[in-house]
Amino acid sequence: MHPTMENVKNSHSEFKAWLISLRRSLHEIPEPGFKEEKTSKFIQGVLKELGISFRANVAKTGIIAELGKGSPCVAIRADMDALKIEEKTGLPFKSRHPGFMHACGHDGHMAMALGACSLLKQMEDKIGGKVRFIFQPAEEGLGGAKYMIEEGALQDVSYIFGGHIDRHYRVGEVVVQDGLICAFSDSFKIDIFGKDGHAARPYEAIDSIVISAHLVTAIQSLVTRELNPTYPSVISIGKIRAGSAHNIIAGHATLYGTVRTTHPEIRKKVLKRFRALVEAFVGSLNAQVYLEFIDSYPPVINDKEATEIAKEAAKSTPGIKKVVSDMPPSLGGEDFSYYLEKVPGCFVRFGALIEGQENIPAHSAKFDFNEDVLEIGANFFKNVAITALNK
Ligand code: NI
């Protein structure tokens, strides 16, 4: 369905249908970080139809759109990239790009932001300042936020807001709380260099697969035995690559994973101990090891005042029945943290559980969310922008 100004202006249910159509169109064209070309074109098309001016090709595929005029300026951010997952939902609007999928809701975030654009456009002369929409590429690991900031996304911005769809909560529940809500995220790569050999004569080789297997288990004892359990921490290995055939001992293995922590001191300790353990452990098994931290996100720390603004906005948003503010910190990483290092803001979570599908997590091939959240998100973004401008 092609959006037009007409069906946006019309009734409530048409607005909802329009948001759903935006989300589904975006869902069909998932693209990885900094390659969101079709996605960017699609968003630009909608902005044009809505009569909203924008700057495209910011940080490659990003877009900055603005409504209103003068100062102050409040920013709303939506992320654009998808994940490297082969979709298995069987939905009629499933991914048309093999190997890629919107599997945590960025398609929904973009639809919400466009929805807020259309709502604000209808009241543009009453906006007391400027609302800037930041459509940001590459949230999943590549830190697109950093590049958007470098290209001026935060210029003159006094507050920034963003949100993430969250299936741990029901539609109508929104998590708005100050302080640390997303963890420090440090991704790593471990290369183990043993020695190739014949599978029948392991004593002539150094088996990097056996070493990897032991290492994966040894790493876990670091979290459970050395770290204070009252500060949540996690180390996960997400990918191992080794070997070429059933009868060859693999001389080289590569392990990829991530360390998540919620306190700067704990982070310092775990990164130091992690390196010591990996090097000593692999060394003791006669292989060489090379550990590299490949990227890291700072934690998302919501500003107190911005959080109050977001709470106030949530309370006046139709469809929001409950504002949650006692969520334990998530160990997820989120590059919204880069914006929050520069300007005060608040990152919220929009409940979007599909009843009966409680056990399908984000980043899974069967991920989907309850589309009733789209209208809530669009109205919240509109409200939070207006509330912040009036502060
Ligand atoms: Ni995400």
Side-chain angles (χ1 to χ4, degrees):
M1 196 202 292
H2 202 55
T4 66
M5 210 39 212
E6 278 322 294
N7 58 21
V8 176
K9 274 194 231 153
N10 286 339
S11 73
H12 167 84
S13 65
E14 280 180 43
F15 181 60
K16 185 173 168 182
W18 179 65
L19 292 175
I20 290 173
S21 81
L22 294 179
R23 182 261 165 156
R24 293 185 178 188
S25 301
L26 288 162
H27 190 85
E28 286 182 349
I29 52 167
E31 296 165 297
F34 294 122
K35 300 211 167 80
E36 303 92 336
E37 273 138 29
K38 288 188 205 167
T39 306
S40 184
K41 282 270 153 355
F42 181 86
I43 293 170
Q44 291 173 45
V46 178
L47 291 170
K48 271 181 205 154
E49 296 244 8
L50 293 171
I52 295 170
S53 63
F54 61 86
R55 178 154 71 94
N57 308 321
V58 186
K60 289 200 175 140
T61 46
I63 300 165
I64 291 179
E66 277 186 0
L67 290 107
K69 56 175 180 286
S71 63
C73 176
V74 167
I76 304 290
R77 175 272 216 163
D79 40 13
M80 300 163 73
D81 55 328
L83 290 152
K84 216 169 154 186
I85 294 177
E86 182 71 40
E87 180 162 352
K88 296 200 180 90
T89 60
L91 290 167
F93 53 92
K94 73 174 195 296
S95 166
R96 286 195 270 110
H97 294 170
F100 294 99
M101 175 186 178
H102 275 296
C104 80
H106 298 191
D107 47 348
H109 306 160
M110 290 183 274
M112 288 172 178
L114 288 168
C117 280
S118 81
L119 293 172
L120 286 163
K121 184 69 192 170
Q122 294 164 56
M123 51 175 288
E124 194 167 16
D125 36 338
K126 289 186 219 105
I127 299 174
K130 250 189 319 205
V131 184
R132 180 178 302 158
F133 284 86
I134 301 172
F135 292 93
Q136 176 214 304
E139 188 282 321
E140 298 282 355
L142 297 171
K146 259 187 305 195
Y147 302 94
M148 292 301 283
I149 294 168
E150 276 169 22
E151 297 201 26
L154 289 183
Q155 197 151 19
D156 306 321
V157 168
S158 51
Y159 288 108
I160 183 162
F161 299 92
H164 207 294
I165 278 168
D166 192 327
R167 295 192 27 144
H168 299 100
Y169 296 90
R170 296 195 145 71
V171 173
E173 294 176 331
V174 178
V175 183
V176 189
Q177 75 186 46
D178 67 355
L180 187 146
I181 59 148
C182 285
F184 288 92
S185 162
D186 293 281
S187 310
F188 59 81
K189 178 183 175 209
I190 302 171
D191 276 297
I192 297 172
F193 297 98
K195 192 174 159 210
D196 296 335
H198 195 296
R201 289 185 291 280
Y203 48 89
E204 292 175 357
I206 297 171
D207 189 339
S208 70
I209 290 184
V210 170
I211 296 172
S212 302
H214 285 303
L215 181 63
V216 170
T217 332
I219 286 168
Q220 294 310 317
S221 66
L222 209 167
V223 176
T224 62
R225 304 292 83 179
E226 293 195 40
L227 300 182
N228 182 341
T230 52
Y231 296 104
S233 313
V234 159
I235 304 179
S236 291
I237 303 284
K239 178 174 163 185
I240 300 184
R241 217 168 46 198
S244 55
H246 69 96
N247 57 355
I248 297 170
I249 286 178
H252 176 211
T254 312
L255 290 73
Y256 297 86
T258 181
V259 180
R260 303 294 168 94
T261 46
T262 50
H263 189 283
E265 286 305 312
I266 298 280
R267 173 177 182 253
K268 225 165 102 187
K269 178 176 178 183
V270 72
L271 295 187
K272 190 169 155 223
R273 283 292 301 137
F274 182 69
R275 178 172 292 280
L277 183 141
V278 168
E279 288 175 353
F281 189 88
V282 177
S284 78
L285 294 171
N286 237 352
Q288 305 283 320
V289 67
Y290 184 69
L291 165 65
E292 185 191 0
F293 284 95
I294 42 184
D295 68 83
S296 60
Y297 283 174
V300 174
I301 301 172
N302 282 339
D303 173 74
K304 227 183 170 77
E305 218 174 306
T307 303
E308 285 311 311
I309 294 171
K311 275 186 191 163
E312 197 183 318
K315 282 176 190 149
S316 64
T317 298
I320 294 184
K321 297 185 203 97
K322 189 176 166 194
V323 178
V324 179
S325 50
D326 58 354
M327 182 194 81
S330 156
L331 290 168
E334 165 61 64
D335 80 349
F336 194 77
S337 51
Y338 289 109
Y339 301 110
L340 294 180
E341 286 184 333
K342 307 274 183 204
V343 298
C346 182
F347 192 73
V348 307
R349 296 178 179 281
F350 301 106
L353 177 71
I354 299 176
E355 305 288 336
Q357 287 189 10
E358 281 76 3
N359 50 8
I360 301 175
H363 292 206
S364 105
K366 292 200 170 157
F367 177 84
D368 188 19
F369 63 82
N370 190 326
E371 288 174 325
D372 290 344
V373 74
L374 297 173
E375 204 179 358
I376 291 175
N379 278 294
F380 171 77
F381 281 148
K382 180 206 82 178
N383 282 353
V384 81
I386 297 297
T387 310
L389 284 174
N390 290 333
K391 286 289 155 184

